[in-house]
Amino acid sequence: MKANATFLLAGLLLCSLVALAQKPAPVGLQLYSFRTQFAQDVPGTMAKVKQMGFREAEIAGTYGLSLPDFRKLLDQNGIKAISTGASFEDLDSNVPKIIAEAKALGVKYIVCTWIPHAGDAFTIQDADRAIDVFNTAGKLLAGNDLTLCYHNHGYEFQTYKDGTFFDYLVENLDPKSVNFEMDVFWVKSPGYDPVALLQKYHKRFLLMHLKDRKPGTPDSQTGHSDVESNVVLGKGDVGIAAIMKQAKKSGVKHFFIEDESSRSMEQMPESLAFLEGLK
């Protein structure tokens, strides 16, 4: 009887450990975080993404696999593709290609991460061209049940009139078909407060990149920074805890950790533990 009780207790403990290991992550992953590992072993790296508990992902390329094969690999690992990237050039001239790729991956959101501009200076001409391209493409995508989001990258926070070019973009992009993915690192980098921006533009940020910055990293309005400044969430100066609290109130629907450092695989479990500990 005693042996049976011990066996039962051991079985319950094992089940608890298995359940803990399979506990879904509180957020999704931008797969670009593991670009080095994916380039070497796509199936093995996807298995690690699953083991970490991720159930949602933002796609950044398929590492040599066809779109159907990459989708199959995601499905096999229980990972749902939420969003995928699209170039400014394709949004300008090849929206049918974007729609076909999105349907193949099963995503709902299309994300553009860069507006072409000369050097480090962002101009009103650059902003106006982007507004025209995004509004036009956004309507076409919306007609196919897809939502376009622009991912900020720092240079949009250069001063324009009484505000910034980012303010100008928000004011002129049609919220019915074009919204935003906030990269919190690239709001902090040019010297702005992600929480204040979430409050200012309520419901305009549908997606979010969670990325923290090593304290002491110089600010930049160029859209360029040392990737090794990416640290474990909660150990940097971006203010992730306060951002998470406000983001949910402001209508962010999906969150993705993005760690561009060479330590991303090692740092990811700590970042997840930090998010899981938030109240």
Side-chain angles (χ1 to χ4, degrees), residues 122 124 127 154-172 190 192 197 200-201 221:
F122 192 70
I124 188 61
Y155 52 79
E156 318 86 340
F157 291 92
Q158 294 174 30
T159 302
Y160 177 67
K161 292 188 175 179
D162 295 330
T164 67
F165 284 110
F166 187 81
D167 295 317
Y168 183 75
L169 289 171
V170 177
E171 291 162 7
N172 289 280
Y192 288 81
L197 202 64
K200 183 176 183 179
Y201 294 120
Q221 290 191 332

Side-chain angles (χ1 to χ4, degrees), residues 147-193:
T147 300
L148 177 61
C149 290
Y150 173 62
H151 166 297
N152 65 284
H153 231 116
Y155 52 79
E156 318 86 340
F157 291 92
Q158 294 174 30
T159 302
Y160 177 67
K161 292 188 175 179
D162 295 330
T164 67
F165 284 110
F166 187 81
D167 295 317
Y168 183 75
L169 289 171
V170 177
E171 291 162 7
N172 289 280
L173 289 172
D174 185 353
K176 294 178 182 176
S177 52
V178 188
N179 283 285
F180 296 87
E181 175 174 65
M182 179 186 284
D183 185 307
V184 298
F185 180 101
W186 287 117
V187 175
K188 179 69 173 178
S189 183
Y192 288 81
D193 178 7

